[in-house]
Amino acid sequence: MTGARELVAALTRRRETVAAAESLTAGLVCATLAEVPGASAVLRGGLVVYATELKTALAGVDERLLAEHGAVHPEVAAQLATGARDRCAATWGLGLTGVAGPSPQDGVPPGTVYVALRGPGTAVVRELATGGDRAAVRAAAVHAAFALLGEHLH
């Protein structure tokens, strides 16, 4: 299990940085990392792109992709990760999109989450299907993002 403390320590050792473009988590990834003393050395910043149009305006997600597939799609997560990395000039970019619930979004059931990582020689998207209330889904998304980044730092 990779937590915020472990990520900050690993990124610090490697002299690398991270940024996130967050939809359903609305800044929870960055806020959780920022709780760790020393996070300012590795956390470059984040984009809260809760509104669909901000995914394009702030993170550079393709408008046609959003129009055709909606905001909850693996390629949207991938483009969010790339946008975070590029716009924040970070080594690693995380992208998170999904449905926290309680209702479906664009026909996608609650608990569906896509987490993406973009970094040196790395472009990965993971799908997560989780249950629980909004807080549980959002917490699971943060945990999945940390786990994905952690795998690439060891």
Side-chain angles (χ1 to χ4, degrees):
M1 178 157 130
T2 304
R5 244 178 235 293
E6 292 84 6
L7 288 179
V8 169
L11 287 164
T12 301
R13 271 193 314 275
R14 294 168 60 111
R15 296 185 177 166
E16 295 177 348
T17 57
V18 65
E22 305 180 59
S23 183
L24 83 152
T25 49
L28 192 55
V29 166
C30 291
T32 303
L33 288 170
E35 289 176 4
V36 178
S40 61
V42 299
L43 177 59
R44 290 283 301 156
L47 309 168
V48 175
V49 290
Y50 210 70
T52 298
E53 69 272 10
L54 292 181
K55 290 170 180 58
T56 297
L58 298 179
V61 175
D62 187 318
E63 284 180 281
R64 287 174 295 185
L65 173 66
L66 291 166
E68 290 174 20
H69 297 286
V72 184
H73 188 271
E75 183 58 26
V76 171
Q79 290 186 20
L80 288 172
T82 299
R85 181 181 187 224
D86 292 349
R87 283 164 168 73
C88 295
T91 311
W92 299 97
L94 290 166
L96 297 90
T97 188
V99 184
S103 303
Q105 179 182 333
D106 299 326
V108 179
T112 303
V113 174
Y114 294 100
V115 177
L117 177 67
R118 180 81 169 129
T122 303
V124 182
V125 180
R126 288 236 174 98
E127 181 177 4
L128 175 66
T130 187
D133 62 9
R134 290 178 60 79
V137 172
R138 294 173 73 232
V142 171
H143 176 76
F146 286 179
L148 182 56
L149 177 57
E151 289 171 22
H152 289 83
L153 295 180
H154 299 301

